[in-house]
Every structure is written in C-alpha cells, then in structure tokens.
Amino acid sequence: MSLALSSILILNKPMTAEQKSDAARLLDIAGDYLRDGYRRDREAPVFLSDPSPQERGAASVAEAAQGPDTPDAVAEAIGGCTGCQLCKTRTKAVPGEGAGQPLVLVVGEGPGADEDASGRPFVGKAGQLLDKMLASIGLFRDTNCFIANVVKCRPPGNRDPQPEEIAACAPFLARQIALLRPLVILCAGRFAAQTLLHTAEGIGRLRGRFGVYSAEYPAITDHVTLGSSGVPIPILPTYHPSALLRDETLKRPAWEDLKTLRAKLVEMDDTYARETEGLH
Ligand code: URA
C-alpha cells in the first residue's frame, strides 16, 4: 500500500477522489489474491458470444449443431483441424477420451507438453492426480467419465488460449457435449469454468457451486444444454489439479467439491448411487 494511503488510513484523514480510487483498486487486487491466489481477469472470456464466429475462423453455428455424429468422428475432425494457429505448433491434437455415455464430462483448459506428445488428455502429473480425485468418488475415464479440454491443441509454452483459438475450437466442445450428453460437467480450473459459464468470476468464487452452460447462440445452446432428461446440464467448477499440486491447501476445498459432485450424481443416477454406496 502506498505511503500516502497508509498515512491517510492511520491518521483518519479525508481522502481525495484519486486516493479513494487507488484504495479501491488495491482492495480489489488484494481480494483477488486472498480468494483465488492470483489476479483474475477483468473481462469475461469470449466463448460463443462473438457476433461473428466465421470472422474468427470458427465453424458456423449450423455446422457445429449438425457436425460429426459420433465422438470418434468429432475426434477425427479435431485431428485434421487447421482452424487456428495452434495447429502449426502442435505435435498431436488432443480430442479427449473416455466413456461413450459418461456420467461426467471433465473439461480442462488445453493440452500440456505430455498431452501434446501423446495425443491423450490429462496424462501428466496433473492428469494422474485428476484420475485419483475422480476415482475417490467412483469415476473412471474408461467407464463412466469423458475427459476433454476447451482447446484441443497445445498453446505454446502453456500460455492461456487466445479468444480466437477458443472460438475456433468451441464447436468441437459443443459437439462433444451434444453427443456425450453427460449428466454433469466438471470444469477443472478457472479457465474452463470461466469459458463454459461465460463469466469473469475467479475460481475461488465459482468452485463448488453449480452453474448452467451459457452460450449465446440459441442453436448451440439448445443442443448442448439439454441433458437426456431435457433439463440443462449442471456445471460444477473446481480447482485445476495442477493448482492442487502447487498449493496443498486447495486439496480440502477440492475434496468438498468432489463430494458435492458425488451427491448430485447420487441424486441423478441410481446405478451410480448403488455402485458407490458406502464410498464416503
Ligand atoms: N491441463 C489441462 O487443462 N488439460 C490437459 O489435458 C492437461 C493438463
């Protein structure tokens, strides 16, 4: 805090408008760090809200709604995609993998180095932790989960995906959601949560509470938000496993989120409820 500000607070002197705005900014930044451990973005990320996806290199809404009609066909389309600059630096595209009728679709940010090399999602250290987290509530990528990412090709140096890359890839994720029809979507980390919920809120605030997919194109929204029961697919944000690897104190709240997910699945699926009875 600046010297002028601290002396004002200590001496209880009236503040000028500029000093008030400085103080508000500092409190805002401090709030972000205390809540989320980093400064969150001020702007909502662009995801399906752009008025002209074609201008951004994205496939049209109609294409996304009609697109490939099996998860394997989506994967094949992703493998050959040249819709954004990430195709130039990727080794392998990473479409995602898992059960054909998953209870849960896990959505991460984008492939890292291990995933780029193998073509499979979440296979590095963070992925191994993710598998353990899911297993603790009876979820497995080969039986009842599907694991995917917002963007399917690795952003160089693991930088955040750019708006035009997200927009170009969005129809693939939308199509996966439409075909897989998961009961619940689990967002792993800030990036996936902000993208799917179309919000700039930090993960510290979003985690552990169900939201509903917010796409601003009705054609896609209709396709992706309606679960098999005809109601919107609930979306639960939690911390990204790599955040848990960096900061052990996040493991406890992440565990609370997993219990929230399990309770929701028990409500929605009798077989899951029976099979995981007594787990916790
Ligand atoms: N982090 C992600 O968000 N996705 C992956 O596939 C791997 C690491």
Side-chain angles (χ1 to χ4, degrees), residues 38-41 43 45 85-86 109-111 150-151 153-166 189-192 194-195 240 246:
Y38 58 85
R39 176 90 171 124
R40 66 186 156 90
D41 296 339
E43 299 297 321
Q85 59 188 343
L86 295 181
E109 178 172 333
V150 172
V151 295
C153 296
R154 184 188 184 206
N158 295 346
R159 64 159 169 75
D160 271 4
Q162 303 291 303
E164 61 277 12
E165 296 158 0
I166 302 168
R190 163 189 72 97
F191 189 83
Q194 289 182 335
T195 306
H240 195 285
R246 283 193 303 270

Side-chain angles (χ1 to χ4, degrees), residues 187-219:
C187 288
R190 163 189 72 97
F191 189 83
Q194 289 182 335
T195 306
L196 268 72
L197 296 170
H198 201 259
T199 174
E201 287 278 11
I203 188 67
R205 287 205 192 170
L206 293 172
R207 60 149 282 267
R209 287 186 290 132
F210 286 99
V212 169
Y213 184 88
S214 162
E216 292 185 6
Y217 287 126

Side-chain angles (χ1 to χ4, degrees), residues 94 107-112 115 120-124 126-127 147-149 188 240-242:
V94 182
V107 180
E109 178 172 333
E115 292 76 19
R120 298 182 54 214
F122 278 101
V123 289
I147 318 269
N149 282 299
H240 195 285
S242 44

